[in-house]
Amino acid sequence: MKKIVILGGGVNGLSSAVKIAEHFHRQDVQVTLISEDVSPNTTGDVSAGYWTPFLVEGTSDEKITKWSKSSYDFFHQLWLNGLAEECGISMIPTYRLTSDPEGEEAPLWKDVVFGFTKLNSDETARLSREHNQTYTEGFHYITFCCEPTKFLPYLMKRFLAAGGRFIKQKINNIDEVSEFDLIVNCTGLGSKEVTNDMKCFAIRGQVARIKAPWIYCIFNHTDDDGNYIIPNTNDVILGGTHQVNDYSLEISKADSAFIFNGCKKIIPSIENAEVIKEMVGLRPGRKEIRLETELRRRNAPIIHNVGHGGSGVTLCWGCSDDVLQLTIELFKKAKL
Ligand SMILES: Cc1cc2nc3c(=O)[nH]c(=O)nc-3n(C[C@H](O)[C@H](O)[C@H](O)COP(=O)(O)OP(=O)(O)OC[C@H]3O[C@@H](n4cnc5c(N)ncnc54)[C@H](O)[C@@H]3O)c2cc1C
């Protein structure tokens, strides 16, 4: 029997675990997931699960478009097929706005989403007046939110149903799992310690969750000091910060002021909303997403799937397509 271990039970580890366990179900392959923590204590649990590529500039647009398309299509299928409530998936209109004097080129992924349109100058001017901003350009399209607090338990259920087994444990070094034939590394920021990957760094993000059931639309101001408002099914997320190499998990009063003041400029009625909680998470930043096989002499090969920055939910399903592909290739080449 071949033994595969996936390290990390966040959105990327669980997506990879589901793909591998379902592919090898009822074959002579044992699939194990080992993770220090799972939902609601992963990075994804802080996020709104908004489908949009963000903070992954070092990875090619072609890869981002391919991976994000696979996730978009997957969320759409779950949404169509009666799993929206269980997985926390909603289809939402979004405004993407910039005040950059040079505007913004339409992203390569524009053909992935439904109804991508550039706003005309009248509409950009109206939103500038409403938000007290000087937007130079904007786009409108339909996207999905896939809420990790619901999506991760769904993935875990699917993984266990496909015969996978789960062990809650911290791994300090990759060699602690040397009894396995293949290691899939999805430890996010933990990869810094587990595989000594010095290209990983934290991108701190602070957000607030409020009760505002009258908001059904995403506003995403994409400039460096921009705010965003993202509805989830039970609350609305106000954001947000992205502080590179900042490892503080404390709520910062300055960040709270930036978030609330900025979001109230976009939708003044936020003033009346009850604040449910404020949260901080550390996005797993990396110069480039690492999705590749590392062959090691005398040791089990490792497939790395880490460094998804602010897009882990957006890219999870597409990246796990590639993880499965790399796994199948290793089996074919008898490297296992
Ligand atoms: C404020 C904020 C907002 C965000 N908003 C969005 C958004 O709207 N859309 C989007 O797509 N993305 C968003 N993100 C980014 C997204 O949350 C991350 O990219 C994603 O969660 C990364 O998933 P992951 O599985 O790679 O890593 P993680 O979620 O960090 O999971 C890593 C897993 O590995 C385990 N682990 C780590 N080290 C070890 C170890 N030594 N031994 C055993 N287990 C270990 C951890 O316990 C965890 O289970 C946001 C992030 C933040 C912080």
Side-chain angles (χ1 to χ4, degrees), residues 50-303:
Y50 166 38
W51 184 101
T52 209
F54 181 50
L55 301 173
V56 278
E57 286 74 17
T59 304
S60 76
D61 287 348
E62 286 71 23
K63 282 184 183 170
I64 296 295
T65 302
K66 180 183 120 179
W67 291 331
S68 64
K69 177 173 170 28
S70 170
S71 304
Y72 192 94
D73 293 346
F74 180 55
F75 299 158
H76 186 208
Q77 285 310 311
L78 293 172
W79 184 84
L80 282 174
N81 293 329
L83 287 159
E85 188 169 5
E86 181 176 355
C87 296
I89 296 179
S90 24
M91 187 192 261
I92 312 181
T94 179
Y95 284 103
R96 180 180 171 94
L97 300 154
T98 179
S99 306
D100 188 324
E102 296 191 1
E104 185 190 5
E105 267 188 40
L108 196 62
W109 50 259
K110 69 181 189 318
D111 299 324
V112 171
V113 297
F114 303 139
F116 189 94
T117 45
K118 187 168 143 70
L119 299 183
N120 65 33
S121 53
D122 285 351
E123 200 158 5
T124 311
R126 174 184 70 79
L127 288 163
S128 291
R129 277 195 308 278
E130 263 182 40
H131 299 174
N132 197 14
Q133 299 280 344
T134 47
Y135 296 134
T136 49
E137 191 125 40
F139 302 105
H140 185 260
Y141 56 93
I142 302 296
T143 191
F144 291 95
C145 274
C146 174
E147 300 171 32
T149 47
K150 294 183 178 175
F151 185 54
L152 297 184
Y154 163 78
L155 290 178
M156 181 63 96
K157 195 171 92 180
R158 251 176 89 160
F159 171 66
L160 297 174
R165 56 176 201 143
F166 171 60
I167 299 170
K168 191 173 185 307
Q169 185 187 329
K170 181 175 162 76
I171 299 297
N172 296 303
N173 186 287
I174 204 92
D175 294 327
E176 285 175 29
V177 287
S178 55
E179 78 268 26
F180 290 92
D181 301 296
L182 169 64
I183 301 162
V184 181
N185 169 33
C186 302
T187 50
L189 198 53
S191 200
K192 212 172 166 171
E193 188 186 340
V194 178
T195 66
N196 213 15
D197 184 344
M198 287 307 145
K199 290 187 181 159
C200 296
F201 56 87
I203 311 176
R204 180 181 177 276
Q206 182 169 323
V207 293
R209 286 182 180 262
I210 62 165
K211 214 170 172 63
W214 58 90
I215 298 174
Y216 285 102
C217 178
I218 294 172
F219 291 95
N220 182 9
H221 190 172
T222 57
D223 298 340
D224 238 12
D225 57 351
N227 291 98
Y228 56 78
I229 299 172
I230 306 172
N232 274 178
T233 40
N234 295 321
D235 51 23
V236 174
I237 289 81
L238 308 182
T241 66
H242 55 280
Q243 293 125 333
V244 173
N245 273 322
D246 185 340
Y247 289 77
S248 167
L249 288 167
E250 299 295 310
I251 304 288
S252 143
K253 281 191 180 156
D255 289 345
S256 304
F258 161 75
I259 290 168
F260 284 104
N261 293 338
C263 291
K264 277 184 218 164
K265 272 169 82 178
I266 299 173
I267 305 183
S269 61
I270 283 172
E271 176 79 42
N272 307 326
E274 176 196 332
V275 178
I276 301 169
K277 60 180 163 186
E278 294 182 79
M279 300 173 89
V280 175
L282 303 180
R283 301 176 183 93
R286 200 173 180 279
K287 286 186 182 131
E288 186 181 357
I289 292 173
R290 187 174 194 194
L291 210 174
E292 62 181 5
T293 304
E294 182 189 348
L295 294 175
R296 305 181 307 159
R297 212 181 295 164
R298 285 197 295 276
N299 284 317
I302 307 173
I303 297 175

